[in-house]
Amino acid sequence: MTSIITSPADFNVGDLYVDLRGAFGRSLFLKCEGFNFAGSIKLKAALEMVEVQERLGALAPGGTVVESSSGNMGVALSVVAAARGYRFVCVTDVRSTAAARRVMAAYGAEVHVVDEPDEAGGYLGTRLARVRRLCREHPDYVWLNQYANPGNWGGHYRTTGPEIAKAFPELDVLFVGAGTTGTLMGCARYFREHHPSVRVVAIDSVGSVTFGMPPGRRMIPGLGSSVRPAILDESWVDEVLHVPEVDAVRACRAMLRKGFLFGGSTGTAVAGALTWLDRAGAGDDLTAVTISPDLGNHYLDTVYDEQWGREVFDLDG
């Protein structure tokens, strides 16, 4: 079937899944969200948040959007801003990938990189402080604030959740990585309201404070946070599982050996899902799905680099 589009937002593959049995010997399906012009699932939330501001009259062509991002949301908003005639200012940090920063700049975004950790040892608090300062200096800037914006989870409530339910009507458990918690909250709310028998398990990184755990070193951007997102409501989530980042790297590299190049957040989600399935003694009769937010192209200098793996995690190959 031929597809002809006029905007990058018109193309997003929502029905592609990988059966990970060949890589891990476990029945687990991976929803692939990296096949769009932003390269990640963040395009859904970016569109939702921008369109809400447009409907409210807060954004018009020529306006400026500002946001804090570790990478993928920044790229997604760069795409949306370029397509709709907005300026975009992204505040990111030194742990974001160089590739993501170059992509944002190529789309015309103004990229600020902070390098001082916040009180929890991450960079989100520092990034947010920079965004607030920019908004004071430029009152016309529109800050979407994905960490508190209901549009972040609303896009997934309308799209990601229903897509998974349609593909797997007999779904038993859904594993969702927690970064800003937009995907998590949107899917959890959708399944609780429409398919309450589905168990939703949040996957977070060790060192993230999102679910009340102590802060720690985190080297892979995407999942985890040094500041609890305001949109998080744990009452919608059935269970939380924390994954060491070294396990995320191992999962990524195991999938690579089968020809699948996925991002670090995907490795975290898959490693968490496999741990849960092992602990539960789950068999092939249980239908389990997790979500891949992006592909691995931006992680070649980190997750897939042998020297980086040795220096950061003492990994050998």
Side-chain angles (χ1 to χ4, degrees):
M1 182 177 67
T2 300
S3 297
I4 299 174
I5 64 174
T6 58
S7 166
D10 294 338
F11 177 80
N12 191 46
V13 178
D15 58 355
L16 179 63
Y17 295 81
V18 174
D19 184 344
L20 293 176
R21 198 182 330 247
F24 301 104
R26 275 258 177 224
S27 179
L28 177 64
F29 298 97
L30 182 65
K31 188 180 197 305
C32 301
E33 289 280 354
F35 293 99
N36 57 54
F37 282 92
S40 83
I41 196 171
K42 294 293 187 178
L43 183 59
K44 293 175 173 179
L47 280 169
E48 184 83 9
M49 292 188 296
V50 166
E51 288 175 352
V52 168
Q53 294 302 311
E54 289 173 338
R55 290 194 294 270
L56 292 173
L59 266 180
T64 300
V65 173
V66 62
E67 184 58 284
S68 156
S69 170
S70 63
N72 281 340
M73 179 60 81
V75 172
L77 284 170
S78 298
V79 172
V80 175
R84 301 197 176 201
Y86 304 128
R87 290 184 62 241
F88 175 51
V89 179
C90 182
V91 178
T92 187
D93 62 69
V94 291
R95 263 195 309 227
S96 65
T97 66
R101 297 198 295 268
R102 287 197 296 268
V103 169
M104 287 187 270
Y107 274 111
E110 178 184 321
V111 182
H112 296 235
V113 183
V114 303
D115 58 6
E116 291 195 15
D118 56 29
E119 293 180 354
Y123 292 92
L124 178 53
T126 311
R127 295 198 325 246
L128 293 176
R130 176 71 66 88
V131 170
R132 293 187 181 100
R133 193 186 83 192
L134 287 169
C135 289
R136 287 194 299 270
E137 295 171 352
H138 304 275
D140 59 322
Y141 280 12
V142 177
W143 180 21
L144 298 177
N145 194 3
Q146 59 175 320
Y147 314 98
N149 192 327
N152 188 357
W153 62 260
H156 298 290
Y157 182 92
R158 291 192 307 101
T159 60
T160 311
E163 288 165 2
I164 295 170
K166 180 180 179 181
F168 295 91
E170 302 302 321
L171 181 65
D172 294 301
V173 58
L174 174 65
F175 303 96
V176 187
T180 66
T181 69
T183 307
L184 173 64
M185 286 292 92
C187 289
R189 287 171 180 265
Y190 174 81
F191 279 99
R192 179 72 61 82
E193 293 178 1
H194 299 279
H195 304 278
S197 64
V198 174
R199 188 169 187 81
V200 176
V201 179
I203 306 296
D204 199 8
S205 297
V206 170
S208 168
V209 307
T210 298
F211 294 95
M213 298 296 286
R217 184 189 74 159
R218 291 180 296 109
M219 301 300 294
I220 302 174
L223 294 191
S225 180
S226 58
V227 178
R228 179 185 169 96
I231 59 172
L232 174 64
D233 181 348
E234 292 184 56
S235 68
W236 295 93
V237 179
D238 295 302
E239 192 173 342
V240 180
L241 192 149
H242 287 82
V243 174
E245 287 191 321
V246 66
D247 291 347
V249 175
R250 290 190 179 108
C252 283
R253 295 181 179 186
M255 290 183 285
L256 182 65
R257 288 192 289 271
K258 293 297 181 179
F260 295 107
L261 184 71
F262 288 115
S265 297
T266 302
T268 307
V270 168
L274 293 170
T275 297
W276 189 95
L277 292 170
D278 284 342
R279 290 176 181 175
D284 288 349
D285 57 329
L286 184 140
T287 303
V289 171
T290 190
I291 300 171
S292 168
D294 62 359
L295 302 179
N297 311 63
H298 290 177
Y299 302 84
L300 298 178
D301 295 332
T302 53
V303 170
Y304 295 103
D305 183 79
E306 290 190 11
Q307 181 177 344
W308 182 87
R310 285 194 297 269
E311 292 175 353
V312 176
F313 296 113
D314 197 28
L315 277 173
D316 189 12

